[in-house]
Amino acid sequence: MMISKIIFILIFSLYFCNEFTSVLGADRSKFKTCSESGFCRRNRNIKGKPNKWVLDPTTVQPSDNKLGFEAILKNELNGVLLRLTINAALKDSSVLHVRINEAHPGRERYDPREALVENIEYGKINIGKPTDKDVTLTFGPADASHKVLIAFNPFRVDIFTGDRLVVSANAREFLKFEHFRQKRENVPEEEKLEEEEDGGWEETFKSFVDSKPYGPMSVGMDFSFVGFDHVYGLPEHADSFALKNTRDETDPYRFYNVDIFEYELNNGMALYGAIPFMAAHSEDYSVGLLWLNPSETWVDIESSNQGVRGLFSHLVSGEVKSRLTHWFSETGLIDVWIMLGPTPLDVMRQNGKITGTLELPPYYAIGYHQCRWNYFSQEELNEVERQFDANDLPLDVLWLDIEYTEGRSKKYFTWDPVMFSDPKGLITNLTSKGRQLVAIIDPHIKKDTNYPIYNEAVQNNYFIKNKDGNDYEGYCWPGPALYPDFLNPAVREWWSSKFNPEFFPGFTDGNVGIWNDMNEPSVFNGPEMSAPRDVVHMNGIEHRDIHNMYGFLVTKATYKGLTTFAPNRRPFILTRSFFAGSQRYAMVWTGDNMAKWEHLKMSIPMILSLGISGMAFSGADAPGFFYDPESTELVVRWYQAAAFQPFYRAHAHLDTKHREPYLYDEETKNLIRLATRARYSYLPYIYTLFYEASINGTPIMRPVWLHFPKDAKAFNLEEEYLLGDSLLIRPVLDKGVSSVNVYFPGEGESWLGIEDDTIYQGGSSADIHVTLDSIPRFQRAGSIIVKRERMRRSCSLSLGDPMTLQIFLDAEERHAEGKLYLDDGSSYNYKSGGYILAEVIYDKMVLTYRIIHGSFPTNSWLERVVIHRISNKPSKIEATNGANLSFKYNPTSQTLIIRKPSLMMGDSWQIKLS
Amino acid sequence: MLLTGYLVSLLCYTVTWNWSSATQVLRPRGVALQKKIFYDPSKDFNCLDGSLKIPFVFVNDDYCDCADGSDEPGTPACPNGVFHCSNLGYQTWDIPSSRVNDGICDCCDGSDEYNSTINCVDNCSELGKEALEAARRLKELFSEGSKIRLNLIKDAKSKAEEDERRLEEFRKEMEKVENTKKEKEAIKKQAEEEEKAALDKFRAEADAQRKAQEEAEMIKIEEKEKLMAEAAFKELDKNSDGILSYQEVQQFIKFDQNNDGVVDPDEAKFFLHMKEEMSLDEFTTTGWIIMKPFYLKDKTPEPLQNDQAPSEQDADGDVEVEHPSYESDGETEDDVEDSSNNAEGEGEGEDEDHGPPYHSPKRPRPDTTVTEAPLPEYDAETLAIIEKAKQAKQEYSDAESKFLSLNNQIREIEASLEMDYGPEREFATLHGQCFEFSDREYIYKFCPFNTATQRSKSGGGETNLGTWGDWTGGDSDRYSRMRYENGVQCWNGPARSVEVYLKCGLNNALLSTSEPSRCEYRFEFETPALCRPENQSNSHEHTEL
């Protein structure tokens, strides 16, 4: 009796819990926890287990390229030998490349070098004379010399820049390298190794059996960031920007690209993409670390205050706060790139030189994007566009989700012959107004012998195989579907050929952007909603070896296709799945979020994490993807926030009510219009930030500490951020508030409230009053922001429009400066000099606009100069061309407005105040 | 010609002005004729919102001075400006001045692209012709349509009159039917009472008879038992002293309850209620009951004992088979709901018409009620009374159905007369008709004032998209839109509903269907009922000179 009652309660509560999670978040049980993953358990529990690697000093020698260092490591327990190579990458030797592989590999491990840029330069490492316990390597230019101290027994690497110890590798002796071995049969229990009994040769999760034909091959190592209390990065996770400790608290941060339904916030569960990059920052120094491994990876983090007594006692004096990290992957190499800073901007630049920077996007890509699952016909798309115009709402891009395909079959590269009978006409209608179409192309291929793409792929053996050699068949949007092996260059070539306008009508002149979704890959009936780990790519490479790179490879092939058939048009590609280096081919969004306040708030830390990890162009669906927003207030706040994020796209789930901005009441519609107009007015500035990102790898949306590295109060900020270096943005992220608290960074700095014309002092906080139309933003003292204050129906139509300079002088009222990058916004002509890079400097009453690079014919002219914090009214303002300029001065706000200087932005010029 | 001077000098760009047109009135570019008075070149210009006064040379100088954009009607300088397209030969309209010189022709006269990369063709007169032609066609449609509409109104009116007439007839008849019903009811009541009394009497007699029979039976059994007890007593009372002592009991080994081969004194006394001895009287009333099973161990069973033994076994055997919880109604309903959820989860459009609710077969419930002994047959007198009552009931029932049917007819007519079929009941004839439209996947059926449904071409039942709700055209044009609501609930969504947009047409036809939001449908329906002359005027727009 009692028992049956208990069982009843149990069943009831289980049922209830399921219901509950299906409403509020992901079905966690579909995804592995560390305790459900053999190699995660083995690596995480390494602490305290016998494990000792020793470097054999007699094997020390220069590496193959004669520039670096090489030696053999030996495991004292099982005699396994590893080859360690250390190189100094980049011209200035500012990145240390540490690589460990088996000395005599029985099976070649996948080398993900494709994720990185080609032809990375290497500097020279000087190998010191080994002593009996260690050897010292030195490298780098004289003014930024670095030192690596390698201890032999136990093996350990301590990295110094100057005299400062920054990173210690294997200080905690967590190095693990499960060598390739043959399966041993009938091993007596007592002789079994940990990896042999712990799911080493076969692992079951839910009903899925992973055959693991190559046995345990995991790799792991610890890295301690000595003297750093803050670490950031590791996208993609829906968690705080400053990374939390995981050890003894929760599971490690997980990287395993999955199609997760309604993801949860504030935890380290794996999402759609993986950039195993971490930045460590302290008041005096910044470093970065890239763990280049595309197999499933976990990162454990803990804090340490140990100094004198602890791990680093022989190397540092006094107590130091450090963050201890432990990285481990299911297979592959240990291939680590350590960016040595010293500033956070340097780290971004160094990472950009290794994993690449984004390519300058077409101008329309930074405008407003309207998407929905789905617009079902070209008439509907035309009507949406018409409504945007009728309501005077700027619009640059319209999107097509999966239902545009023939018969809604999800046969990509086809159009439904009835609903989209004239794709060319549809596209021309948009492009004639400077607008663009983006269409979705997912990598799953419908199993259908009437589908040429399927047939070709079968005939050419282009699909991923089962372990038994047959084509692997999963289930996705089209029903039964197969997955091309994008690892194979021939498959990528074939895929890219499908973007031929003769094959896929409408792609003429590259007039369509592409959205690669579901490329984790998503497999509805696969383990963790993805492909089984033991399915096979080319050359016998297992899916587990490359899993986190699949999405990267899809976008690489798409990029090839778009650039092949429209060689002088910059492609636009959006991807959901990504890996380190994806920014070279595509931009990302944060996947299927929800129309909830918490998700709005989470968009900022997520975009910041992506940005500092190399993925500068990203955004979150506004106003959330799933669900109908609870209020128009949430809608407005989300548009306002998204308007100041790199990617500004509205999207909606199939089950939601239509919510195109023109459908709202007049007030809401007007607030959305104002938010979009506010963004559009800053586009010349934002585009210049994209240019910087393409050169330097700097994010568009930047953590405050990126420009205020010594201001410790900025280290945990995640509700405000810098857009470039001159604008501080603090969107309203909470329901019903009448003020927001803003921290103004930088002792001695000052900030101008754009909305309230008030000057705020750096190093302090203030409560800023907000109303429903507020998007609190502040301009940094001493900066010049180039704007376009005229509106057009799409930003592409504004490229010839005049500009306004927004100047906020420094405290001495002497100086301010800014930059402007201009080009045609669509072609590659900028690569051959068809652009303008100009500096704008105000110094001692002289405003100088000087083109420093390039030349580009532009009709843009200067229509207005607004100078804030100018306490004396000038008597005369004169332009270089001799014209006397009219102006207006407001002594109360100390603002000067110069009216219509009419100077051309294609020329250099000066304006003199006297 | 005085004005030419200022116009040319004020505009930053040289313009080719169409002087040949006698109707062109000079004013700054982008200004509507009725706003001309605010733009007086001989005075400073006041921003139309009154926020600022500027020299007139600042008007249309490609720099935004006024917050409301009124100083730059002809340039894209102000984000909020308005440019007026004159569109000679066609109708005028306003565009946001942000569309001036953006490379897209927005005015049919091309006047918005005077300094642009694009060459706009003036196609106003062409459009004007087309518009005239369209207006002519529309007029024709409305004039044809309104004729049909008048007929519809006439039909509806005569139908309403006919309805009124029938209603009156029915109401009169109703009085009669109601009276008949009342009469028959009274007769029925009387007959039923008589019947009840007769039956009661009959049953009471039968019951009494049966009871007496049972009692006699019982006495018989008891007497038999007593005889058996006495016989046993006689057998056990070895010394025949009329007293049964425990020692006498000990003599019979069958009373050895613990099977140790000996009948202990206690074992023997057990049958004497732990007393030393017992008289015959006491034994027959109390002792025999305990002793009987042991006593009979070595006797041939008798029919009466046979009946008792298996019924005791039943008590801890078969009865447990039944679990009441299996039978609870709640559980069964849950099953039904689950199965419907699954069906809906499987796909859009397949989530309706589950057929009759599915009930899992129940285990037959053991019949616990005792079957009553069949009643003896009725006597002739009772039979006659029963027959009479049966007839009375039948007659009443006939009267009642007549009443109900008539009542329904009356209500139907009343409802039809009360229904809002439009201001002149011009939509009335649509009620009772259905119209279909098919797209690639579905066939939609629209039955005005009734339901809207959808069924898949690949088979399956009809899905109710909504039943008649109300007119939803709003205050200005109430009868241009209908709403059908409370259709089948969508999985994870609202109940389906349809907005039907009506327009004037010569036939009644369902023109198109769409689903702008999930489970919110939109139909377009044309009908002559909407060809009202006043609707036509809505499509006219102001044409400038």
Side-chain angles (χ1 to χ4, degrees):
Chain A
M1 194 59 197
M2 197 57 198
I3 289 174
S4 66
K5 195 168 182 180
I6 290 172
I7 288 173
F8 173 75
I9 292 171
L10 208 67
I11 290 171
F12 183 79
S13 54
L14 278 175
Y15 174 76
F16 189 73
C17 285
N18 270 338
E19 280 300 290
F20 205 64
T21 47
S22 77
V23 171
L24 282 187
D27 183 359
R28 261 173 184 265
S29 69
K30 276 192 182 151
F31 303 97
K32 279 193 185 182
T33 60
C34 183
S35 62
E36 288 166 319
S37 157
F39 85 90
C40 190
R41 289 195 299 271
R42 296 198 296 275
N43 279 276
R44 207 180 196 196
N45 300 337
I46 196 169
K47 200 173 183 174
K49 296 228 168 106
N51 175 44
K52 197 176 189 187
W53 292 92
V54 174
L55 186 145
D56 179 356
T58 64
T59 62
V60 168
Q61 59 170 347
S63 60
D64 282 350
N65 61 10
K66 304 293 169 214
L67 294 170
F69 162 93
E70 188 182 299
I72 297 294
L73 302 175
K74 182 176 177 184
N75 187 310
E76 288 222 316
L77 297 174
N78 58 16
V80 168
L81 300 180
L82 304 178
R83 171 168 286 106
L84 162 75
T85 46
I86 298 181
N87 276 290
L90 304 192
K91 218 181 245 172
D92 60 357
S93 296
S94 55
V95 175
L96 194 68
H97 180 199
V98 179
R99 187 180 166 101
I100 301 176
N101 193 2
E102 288 177 68
H104 311 290
R107 175 178 188 255
E108 201 184 330
R109 288 169 184 257
Y110 177 68
D111 184 347
R113 67 166 65 88
E114 202 165 0
L116 306 182
V117 299
E118 285 169 26
N119 305 322
I120 293 171
E121 282 184 80
Y122 284 95
K124 175 92 176 92
I125 285 184
N126 304 305
I127 306 172
K129 198 174 151 47
T131 70
D132 55 344
K133 60 183 178 59
D134 55 28
V135 60
T136 303
L137 317 181
T138 52
F139 56 96
D143 57 340
S145 69
H146 308 295
K147 180 177 87 181
V148 173
L149 183 65
I150 303 172
F152 299 149
N153 187 2
F155 164 66
R156 163 176 177 159
V157 178
D158 290 295
I159 303 160
F160 296 76
T161 85
D163 289 331
R164 193 197 189 287
L165 172 62
V166 288
V167 178
S168 285
N170 205 34
R172 295 194 287 164
E173 294 187 67
F174 289 174
L175 171 59
K176 189 173 181 72
F177 210 108
E178 291 172 344
H179 61 286
F180 175 73
R181 68 200 80 192
Q182 297 300 332
K183 189 172 185 178
R184 302 192 297 169
E185 301 294 345
N186 306 321
V187 189
E189 273 306 311
E190 61 276 13
E191 283 177 33
K192 268 192 180 165
L193 296 170
E194 183 192 29
E195 55 261 39
E196 285 171 320
E197 57 193 0
D198 196 8
W201 291 94
E202 184 176 283
E203 214 168 341
T204 303
F205 177 66
K206 306 276 144 197
S207 57
F208 301 101
V209 179
D210 176 5
S211 64
K212 306 187 81 167
Y214 304 106
M217 288 187 80
S218 84
V219 295
M221 197 167 181
D222 62 278
F223 296 90
S224 302
F225 295 99
V226 186
F228 295 89
D229 201 20
H230 286 82
V231 287
Y232 308 89
L234 300 188
E236 179 177 45
H237 294 99
D239 205 2
S240 57
F241 178 51
L243 296 171
K244 292 172 189 149
N245 287 334
T246 53
R247 186 94 204 175
D248 303 325
E249 305 274 336
T250 175
D251 265 3
Y253 286 98
R254 184 179 187 222
F255 286 117
Y256 191 69
N257 295 349
V258 288
D259 177 4
I260 184 165
F261 179 77
E262 297 191 348
Y263 58 78
E264 289 178 30
L265 305 181
N266 301 306
N267 68 50
M269 283 173 77
L271 296 184
Y272 315 92
I275 307 182
F277 171 87
M278 182 185 273
H281 178 69
S282 68
E283 287 167 61
D284 70 323
Y285 213 85
S286 290
V287 290
L289 186 149
L290 174 70
W291 171 271
L292 190 68
N293 188 314
S295 71
E296 182 185 359
T297 297
W298 300 75
V299 184
D300 227 352
I301 305 176
E302 57 192 296
S303 285
S304 162
N305 284 319
Q306 294 171 356
V308 182
R309 290 179 305 278
L311 288 170
F312 319 108
S313 54
H314 58 297
L315 301 172
V316 297
S317 56
E319 293 286 317
V320 284
K321 285 191 171 178
S322 300
R323 292 301 279 274
L324 314 180
T325 63
H326 180 199
W327 306 59
F328 42 94
S329 298
E330 188 181 3
T331 66
L333 303 164
I334 293 179
D335 195 56
V336 178
W337 301 75
I338 299 167
M339 293 84 191
L340 295 169
T343 72
L345 283 167
D346 291 328
V347 173
M348 311 289 105
R349 183 180 50 78
Q350 289 152 3
N351 187 32
K353 296 265 189 241
I354 301 298
T355 63
T357 57
L358 62 75
E359 192 175 90
L360 205 53
Y363 204 71
Y364 69 79
I366 63 175
Y368 174 78
H369 300 251
Q370 181 63 44
C371 185
R372 176 177 176 84
W373 179 27
N374 213 92
Y375 295 124
F376 290 99
S377 66
Q378 65 188 75
E379 283 71 32
E380 191 180 3
L381 271 186
N382 288 342
E383 174 62 12
V384 171
E385 196 219 1
R386 203 190 62 75
Q387 288 286 358
F388 268 88
D389 277 349
N391 288 279
D392 201 14
L393 289 157
L395 167 74
D396 270 85
V397 190
L398 278 175
W399 288 61
L400 281 177
D401 210 319
I402 51 180
E403 314 293 349
Y404 74 92
T405 49
E406 184 186 318
R408 294 170 67 175
S409 61
K410 287 80 186 180
K411 289 185 201 170
Y412 305 106
F413 300 101
T414 67
W415 297 90
D416 186 276
V418 176
M419 307 308 262
F420 295 90
S421 57
D422 179 20
K424 262 187 157 167
L426 166 70
I427 293 157
T428 312
N429 178 47
L430 290 173
T431 52
S432 69
K433 298 189 194 93
R435 292 180 175 135
Q436 195 80 13
L437 182 73
V438 175
I440 200 166
I441 299 276
D442 289 351
H444 46 254
I445 302 299
K446 184 180 172 71
K447 186 184 179 186
D448 182 342
T449 49
N450 293 319
Y451 184 28
I453 293 199
Y454 168 76
N455 291 335
E456 283 175 33
V458 169
Q459 281 152 20
N460 293 299
N461 260 328
Y462 282 167
F463 288 126
I464 298 175
K465 306 286 182 207
N466 271 320
K467 59 179 190 293
D468 61 14
N470 296 322
D471 285 346
Y472 166 68
E473 184 180 321
Y475 202 89
C476 203
W477 294 128
L482 292 92
Y483 296 80
D485 178 11
F486 285 94
L487 190 64
N488 184 344
V491 173
R492 293 205 295 266
E493 198 60 41
W494 164 75
W495 178 263
S496 67
S497 73
K498 300 301 160 204
F499 293 91
N500 186 334
E502 284 173 22
F503 181 79
F504 189 14
F507 271 47
T508 327
D509 303 327
N511 272 336
V512 180
I514 292 297
W515 177 12
N516 285 153
D517 195 2
M518 313 296 278
N519 52 348
E520 294 76 20
S522 172
V523 183
F524 293 163
N525 59 345
E528 304 194 70
M529 292 281 278
S530 195
R533 290 159 201 249
D534 55 2
V535 299
V536 185
H537 293 259
M538 65 172 214
N539 299 339
I541 295 167
E542 283 194 284
H543 184 66
R544 86 183 75 245
D545 299 323
I546 64 114
H547 173 82
N548 285 343
M549 257 178 95
Y550 189 80
F552 167 96
L553 295 166
V554 173
T555 56
K556 183 173 182 182
T558 301
Y559 176 91
K560 179 78 194 301
L562 295 189
T563 48
T564 300
F565 293 103
N568 199 25
R569 279 295 291 265
R570 298 176 214 165
F572 173 77
I573 302 169
L574 174 72
T575 178
R576 189 169 71 184
S577 187
F578 53 88
F579 188 63
S582 280
Q583 64 270 13
R584 303 201 302 277
Y585 308 114
M587 48 95 36
V588 308
W589 92 110
T590 60
D592 300 343
N593 59 0
M594 301 182 212
K596 310 266 181 210
W597 287 97
E598 314 85 82
H599 277 259
L600 164 59
K601 197 171 273 195
M602 185 53 76
S603 68
I604 297 179
M606 288 181 82
I607 296 169
L608 286 175
S609 300
L610 284 163
I612 62 155
S613 307
M615 183 54 74
F617 194 7
S618 74
D621 282 341
F625 175 61
F626 289 114
Y627 301 112
D628 294 317
E630 62 168 36
S631 62
T632 50
E633 184 193 1
L634 173 58
V635 174
V636 167
R637 292 308 188 199
W638 204 316
Y639 268 91
Q640 290 170 338
F644 286 86
Q645 294 173 355
F647 182 47
Y648 184 29
R649 181 179 81 151
H651 191 21
H653 186 268
L654 183 69
D655 283 344
T656 59
K657 283 187 181 306
H658 264 271
R659 54 183 186 225
E660 287 68 29
Y662 50 79
L663 295 173
Y664 290 106
D665 58 276
E666 280 305 318
E667 188 198 12
T668 304
K669 201 196 306 182
N670 190 42
L671 290 167
I672 292 172
R673 184 185 295 121
L674 289 175
T676 304
R677 284 184 171 191
R679 177 193 181 86
Y680 277 43
S681 73
Y682 287 102
L683 286 183
Y685 174 70
I686 292 173
Y687 193 57
T688 305
L689 297 179
F690 272 88
Y691 165 76
E692 279 181 29
S694 75
I695 301 295
N696 296 325
T698 35
I700 311 298
M701 200 167 133
R702 305 174 184 174
V704 173
W705 52 260
L706 204 58
H707 291 288
F708 298 90
K710 294 185 191 313
D711 189 343
K713 285 183 201 149
F715 293 177
N716 287 312
L717 295 177
E718 59 175 24
E719 292 189 335
E720 61 185 84
Y721 60 89
L722 294 166
L723 190 64
D725 61 358
S726 305
L727 266 185
L728 179 72
I729 313 282
R730 197 315 188 181
V732 182
L733 305 166
D734 292 287
K735 184 175 161 176
V737 295
S738 58
S739 72
V740 293
N741 189 268
V742 181
Y743 176 70
F744 296 98
E747 205 65 51
E749 293 270 347
S750 51
W751 297 84
L752 174 72
I754 301 293
E755 294 186 324
D756 61 9
D757 233 347
T758 305
I759 293 173
Y760 297 93
Q761 294 309 315
S764 69
S765 295
D767 284 326
I768 307 296
H769 176 72
V770 295
T771 50
L772 203 49
D773 61 350
S774 307
I775 315 173
R777 51 192 193 273
F778 308 88
Q779 186 173 344
R780 186 180 180 172
S783 68
I784 299 177
I785 294 179
V786 187
K787 298 177 71 184
R788 269 197 186 105
E789 296 189 330
R790 298 185 176 198
M791 283 305 121
R792 294 295 192 184
R793 69 186 104 194
S794 66
C795 68
S796 304
L797 295 178
S798 71
L799 283 166
D801 279 340
M803 294 182 163
T804 291
L805 301 182
Q806 188 86 35
I807 304 176
F808 179 37
L809 295 179
D810 62 7
E812 289 78 43
E813 295 184 25
R814 272 173 66 108
H815 189 84
E817 57 183 69
K819 271 200 178 67
L820 175 68
Y821 174 84
L822 269 179
D823 63 18
D824 64 16
S826 63
S827 78
Y828 282 115
N829 293 353
Y830 71 88
K831 290 197 166 171
S832 49
Y835 67 96
I836 287 172
L837 179 65
E839 59 179 18
V840 202
I841 297 174
Y842 178 97
D843 198 62
K844 293 179 236 164
M845 315 260 300
V846 179
L847 177 65
T848 307
Y849 175 85
R850 193 170 69 86
I851 294 171
I852 30 184
H853 289 299
S855 88
F856 167 70
T858 173
N859 291 329
S860 283
W861 49 278
L862 184 67
E863 72 171 338
R864 193 182 292 109
V865 179
V866 183
I867 305 176
H868 295 273
R869 187 145 69 185
I870 181 159
S871 51
N872 295 311
K873 182 181 178 181
S875 53
K876 187 179 159 193
I877 300 180
E878 202 179 357
T880 355
N881 60 8
N884 261 329
L885 304 179
S886 60
F887 61 91
K888 226 191 304 188
Y889 180 74
N890 181 334
T892 327
S893 63
Q894 302 199 344
T895 308
L896 176 76
I897 301 177
I898 306 175
R899 191 185 190 284
K900 216 180 160 188
S902 301
L903 297 157
M904 296 306 291
M905 302 310 277
D907 302 333
S908 297
W909 42 253
Q910 281 193 326
I911 292 174
K912 287 186 175 129
L913 284 66
S914 51
Chain B
M1 283 304 106
L2 184 75
L3 296 178
T4 8
Y6 94 73
L7 190 76
V8 172
S9 67
L10 285 186
L11 297 174
C12 308
Y13 305 94
T14 42
V15 195
T16 329
W17 213 231
N18 183 3
W19 298 113
S20 64
S21 164
T23 52
Q24 180 67 55
V25 177
L26 294 178
R27 54 192 190 273
R29 192 193 298 276
V31 174
L33 186 60
Q34 61 269 36
K35 287 187 181 158
K36 178 180 176 277
I37 48 161
F38 302 117
Y39 296 84
D40 182 346
S42 60
K43 296 179 191 160
D44 282 349
F45 176 73
N46 282 300
C47 299
L48 296 187
D49 63 0
S51 60
L52 195 70
K53 183 189 270 193
I54 53 173
F56 197 84
V57 288
F58 282 8
V59 171
N60 275 347
D61 73 339
D62 208 17
Y63 182 89
C64 191
D65 294 286
C66 299
D68 67 351
S70 55
D71 62 317
E72 297 293 320
T75 80
C78 293
N80 294 322
V82 174
F83 180 89
H84 183 79
C85 306
S86 294
N87 294 342
L88 288 177
Y90 191 44
Q91 64 214 22
T92 65
W93 57 68
D94 290 343
I95 58 169
S97 64
S98 62
R99 293 179 196 172
V100 169
N101 293 334
D102 68 349
I104 298 152
C105 310
D106 293 286
C107 307
C108 65
D109 62 5
S111 57
D112 58 317
E113 296 298 315
Y114 57 86
N115 184 31
S116 163
T117 49
I118 194 165
N119 253 329
C120 294
V121 182
D122 183 342
N123 58 351
C124 290
S125 55
E126 216 169 288
L127 285 172
K129 265 184 229 156
E130 276 171 26
L132 280 176
E133 173 60 19
R136 193 190 57 74
R137 277 198 305 267
L138 196 67
K139 201 177 161 194
E140 226 171 71
L141 175 68
F142 268 81
S143 95
E144 281 297 301
S146 62
K147 278 181 212 156
I148 305 175
R149 182 172 169 273
L150 287 178
N151 283 331
L152 291 177
I153 293 169
K154 217 167 81 190
D155 290 352
K157 202 178 159 199
S158 58
K159 185 171 178 288
E161 280 163 6
E162 168 71 10
D163 280 351
E164 294 277 7
R165 197 186 53 71
R166 278 172 65 213
L167 189 59
E168 195 153 326
E169 218 169 80
F170 286 159
R171 277 182 181 148
K172 266 185 206 152
E173 199 186 336
M174 189 62 164
E175 276 173 35
K176 282 185 220 160
V177 172
E178 230 170 348
N179 284 337
T180 319
K181 189 183 139 210
K182 265 183 206 154
E183 274 165 35
K184 296 291 177 193
E185 192 171 13
I187 295 168
K188 183 191 96 171
K189 209 175 157 195
Q190 167 97 35
E192 276 173 347
E193 273 164 16
E194 281 169 19
E195 182 191 42
K196 188 170 182 285
L199 287 177
D200 283 354
K201 190 176 151 222
F202 183 82
R203 276 200 190 111
E205 278 166 12
D207 278 356
Q209 221 174 329
R210 195 174 53 200
K211 209 172 171 193
Q213 220 169 11
E214 277 168 9
E215 270 166 16
E217 197 87 359
M218 191 55 91
I219 289 165
K220 244 188 196 154
I221 292 168
E222 273 169 16
E223 270 167 9
K224 201 175 169 196
E225 280 292 309
K226 201 179 166 199
L227 285 176
M228 277 173 75
E230 278 167 8
F233 190 86
K234 212 170 156 194
E235 187 195 338
L236 299 175
D237 180 17
K238 287 230 163 159
N239 58 7
S240 305
D241 59 353
I243 301 290
L244 182 61
S245 68
Y246 76 88
Q247 291 94 341
E248 284 166 334
V249 175
Q250 274 183 296
Q251 314 274 321
F252 296 88
I253 193 67
K254 60 186 170 189
F255 296 119
D256 174 16
Q257 295 167 56
N258 59 3
N259 291 321
D260 61 354
V262 186
V263 181
D264 300 327
D266 275 355
E267 281 177 321
K269 283 179 193 170
F270 169 75
F271 297 105
L272 305 175
H273 286 233
M274 298 319 281
K275 287 191 288 194
E276 302 274 308
E277 52 185 35
M278 218 176 229
S279 71
L280 175 60
D281 270 5
E282 205 180 347
F283 180 77
T284 50
T285 49
T286 62
W288 172 242
I289 297 170
I290 317 173
M291 188 186 274
K292 189 178 167 189
F294 292 87
Y295 176 78
L296 291 174
K297 263 187 194 169
D298 51 2
K299 307 279 184 220
T300 326
E302 283 176 45
L304 248 177
Q305 293 155 343
N306 249 354
D307 276 357
Q308 279 176 346
S311 83
E312 268 166 38
Q313 272 172 13
D314 253 2
D316 40 69
D318 286 352
V319 168
E320 220 177 296
V321 168
E322 193 197 0
H323 292 273
S325 67
Y326 275 94
E327 305 284 341
S328 92
D329 283 355
E331 191 73 24
T332 319
E333 268 167 30
D334 278 355
D335 285 351
V336 174
E337 230 169 60
D338 279 358
S339 71
S340 75
N341 276 349
N342 289 344
E344 291 197 324
E346 274 166 28
E348 214 185 327
E350 294 298 325
D351 41 357
E352 46 278 331
D353 273 51
H354 304 296
Y358 168 78
H359 290 279
S360 54
K362 288 183 189 176
R363 199 182 295 266
R365 190 192 290 265
D367 198 351
T368 47
T369 57
V370 182
T371 342
E372 260 181 66
L375 284 171
E377 290 199 353
Y378 296 118
D379 54 80
E381 192 191 345
T382 315
L383 277 176
I385 296 171
I386 291 172
E387 189 50 38
K388 192 180 154 200
K390 197 179 156 194
Q391 201 180 330
K393 277 185 229 172
Q394 183 57 48
E395 279 172 21
Y396 169 72
S397 152
D398 292 348
E400 197 188 28
S401 1
K402 210 166 176 190
F403 168 81
L404 288 176
S405 134
L406 193 60
N407 198 39
N408 274 346
Q409 279 177 290
I410 290 173
R411 274 205 218 139
E412 239 169 66
I413 297 171
E414 280 174 348
S416 163
L417 288 170
E418 279 162 25
M419 177 76 95
D420 185 355
Y421 285 127
E424 296 174 84
R425 299 184 66 76
E426 59 269 51
F427 296 96
T429 50
L430 290 175
H431 196 168
Q433 303 191 57
C434 291
F435 306 91
E436 287 197 341
F437 176 83
S438 350
D439 64 12
R440 279 190 300 171
E441 286 175 71
Y442 296 100
I443 298 168
Y444 295 86
K445 194 162 90 185
F446 171 50
C447 308
F449 304 103
N450 195 359
T451 56
T453 59
Q454 171 199 55
R455 70 173 190 276
S456 174
K457 283 183 166 171
S458 54
E462 274 194 341
T463 306
N464 182 7
L465 302 182
T467 48
W468 165 248
D470 203 357
W471 295 100
T472 49
D475 292 340
S476 58
D477 206 3
R478 176 174 162 79
Y479 298 98
S480 62
R481 231 163 99 180
M482 302 167 134
R483 181 171 171 79
Y484 292 77
E485 54 205 6
N486 297 321
V488 176
Q489 191 84 19
C490 270
W491 181 71
N492 215 359
R496 288 175 172 77
S497 63
V498 185
E499 290 282 328
V500 183
Y501 288 71
L502 306 177
K503 65 175 203 175
C504 163
L506 297 184
N507 300 302
N508 290 316
L510 186 55
L511 299 177
S512 73
T513 63
S514 57
E515 189 182 355
S517 275
R518 201 162 126 77
C519 301
E520 293 175 8
Y521 295 82
R522 179 189 165 126
F523 288 4
E524 270 188 306
F525 185 75
E526 68 170 19
T527 169
L530 206 75
C531 300
R532 268 174 291 157
E534 67 265 29
N535 285 7
Q536 192 192 349
S537 63
N538 288 353
S539 49
H540 274 302
E541 278 177 62
H542 173 70
T543 308
E544 189 171 82
L545 293 177

